[in-house]
Amino acid sequence: GPGCTIACLVNMDEKSIHANTISLFRDGVRIAKPQPLPDFLKGKVLYPTVTFKSMTVHTNFGPEPCSPLPFKCKTLQEAANVDVEVVTWKEPKDGKYDVLFPVCLPDEGTFEWLDFFLASNPQYTELSDRKLFDWAMRSGLWRPKNNRSSNDRPDMNLGIPQLDDGSVKSLLAIAAASQRRPMIIMEVKGNLTKKDRTDMVK
């Protein structure tokens, strides 16, 4: 329910009777029996992933659980180096990240090229109306099917003013400026003019 705390416990202690299992707790109380990890995941690096829809989620990796569990165990933040695999992000030597503004003609395979480019260069994050609309659909929003639309300028018509009027897109553009990652800005019409590209960089 709203406001509850869900804890996910992965038991990797080979001495435990529940070794290689995963358990769920709600507000510190177990809600399911330990479930065995699939054989193909045993001994592999496991990444914490949260999938959610139509809700707000806050994550906590330690050092203390939000709701105490009936036993003591380490949080991810407290994990020993031998129990985790630390991956560092390789930063550019000059500390600057690339921002690409593809210049393409409308309806000439623009987004097909973009999909091909992202498949070959997954380090880039796409910032576009298409991506925003896809995010909205994956979050459970709905719109009428009789919309005239395009990949470059999809008609949101989602019933949420901040999404429909472009406010969320503007906030994402501002937030993107503080993210230390390569970006690709896909604005078919906007990228055609030097002024629009310059304004976006600013």
Side-chain angles (χ1 to χ4, degrees), residues 8-202:
C8 178
L9 172 69
V10 180
N11 190 334
M12 308 299 289
D13 184 0
E14 296 295 341
K15 298 179 181 179
S16 170
I17 60 173
H18 298 306
N20 294 308
T21 62
I22 185 170
S23 299
L24 293 178
F25 296 80
R26 180 174 58 221
D27 296 327
V29 179
R30 182 183 290 277
I31 57 176
K33 294 181 179 180
Q35 300 297 311
L37 289 173
D39 289 337
F40 70 91
L41 289 180
K42 294 179 181 178
K44 301 294 182 62
V45 178
L46 304 178
Y47 296 88
T49 303
V50 179
T51 301
F52 59 98
K53 186 175 183 179
S54 302
M55 66 178 68
T56 300
V57 174
H58 297 275
T59 58
N60 172 42
F61 297 115
E64 296 294 333
C66 293
S67 294
L69 297 174
F71 48 81
K72 292 291 184 180
C73 65
K74 293 183 180 295
T75 61
L76 184 59
Q77 185 173 323
E78 296 178 303
N81 288 336
V82 295
D83 295 326
V84 296
E85 181 174 314
V86 180
V87 178
T88 57
W89 182 266
K90 186 177 181 181
E91 296 188 7
K93 294 181 179 179
D94 58 2
K96 298 179 181 180
Y97 291 84
D98 292 334
V99 179
L100 303 183
F101 294 85
V103 178
C104 307
L105 295 176
D107 299 323
E108 293 294 336
T110 301
F111 284 90
E112 287 79 2
W113 173 86
L114 177 60
D115 291 335
F116 172 79
F117 176 85
L118 291 174
S120 304
N121 302 272
Q123 71 273 23
Y124 280 86
T125 297
E126 176 188 348
L127 187 61
S128 67
D129 284 355
R130 177 186 78 157
K131 200 65 176 177
L132 180 60
F133 179 74
D134 179 66
W135 171 58
M137 292 294 98
R138 289 174 181 270
S139 297
L141 300 183
W142 177 88
R143 72 169 184 176
K145 292 183 178 181
N146 58 344
N147 278 273
R148 298 182 61 184
S149 189
S150 69
N151 281 326
D152 188 41
R153 285 287 185 269
D155 294 329
M156 294 297 182
N157 196 21
L158 297 168
I160 299 178
Q162 293 82 357
L163 280 170
D164 294 342
D165 64 13
S167 298
V168 171
K169 180 185 176 183
S170 298
L171 287 174
L172 287 176
I174 295 173
S178 64
Q179 299 300 306
R180 302 174 63 83
R181 66 181 66 182
M183 295 278 182
I184 182 165
I185 312 299
M186 183 51 78
E187 295 282 348
V188 178
K189 181 180 178 181
N191 289 358
L192 286 173
T193 64
K194 181 179 179 180
K195 181 181 183 303
D196 286 343
R197 296 195 301 270
T198 303
D199 290 343
M200 192 64 177
V201 172
K202 293 178 179 180

